Amino acid sequence: MKVVYKITYPNGKIYVGSDLTDSRLTYFGSPSKELLRRDFDRAELQDFTIRKQILWQSETATDSETRRRENALIVEHGANDPEHGYNQRPRYRGAGDLG
């Protein structure tokens, strides 16, 4: 099963990613560690809760179809807007971003 998921962090920012290997239980994406370090100090990490939601899933999609769906959902959810999310690609272009 291939999935596209959304991670919501305690500050309300999100990260949208995909999982091509059906490891939904253990995989929580690859947001920039530097961006996360800027937003959370050591004390905040002592009790840190994130939420993972499956936005889309398919048993038949190809890897490239899954990545296209991931990019579309990144833009749709605003995860590439630095004010709202941690995705760095596709590059955010401002209000009305079409990817």
Side-chain angles (χ1 to χ4, degrees):
M1 180 79 66
K2 296 176 183 174
V3 301
V4 177
Y5 56 85
K6 178 175 81 171
I7 303 293
T8 305
Y9 290 88
N11 61 0
K13 286 188 176 183
I14 62 172
Y15 176 82
V16 173
S18 62
D19 179 359
L20 305 175
T21 62
D22 201 16
S23 54
R24 286 175 276 172
L25 182 61
T26 59
Y27 186 64
F28 287 87
S30 303
S32 164
K33 289 181 177 88
E34 181 56 34
L35 294 177
L36 291 172
R37 277 191 205 109
R38 288 183 206 163
D39 284 350
F40 299 100
D41 64 26
R42 201 171 274 285
E44 291 171 309
L45 297 176
Q46 296 301 311
D47 187 2
F48 192 82
T49 302
I50 62 172
R51 178 180 182 195
K52 183 176 184 179
Q53 298 169 273
I54 303 301
L55 300 176
W56 174 87
Q57 62 187 2
S58 175
E59 292 185 8
T60 60
T62 64
D63 290 358
S64 62
E65 288 172 316
T66 303
R67 287 187 188 100
R68 279 194 303 276
R69 181 61 65 114
E70 174 188 10
N71 281 335
L73 288 166
I74 287 169
V75 172
E76 180 181 321
H77 287 267
N80 59 337
D81 176 348
E83 295 291 318
H84 303 288
Y86 292 112
N87 288 84
Q88 296 181 296
R89 290 188 182 94
R91 184 170 298 280
Y92 182 67
R93 297 181 189 165
D97 185 4
L98 299 175

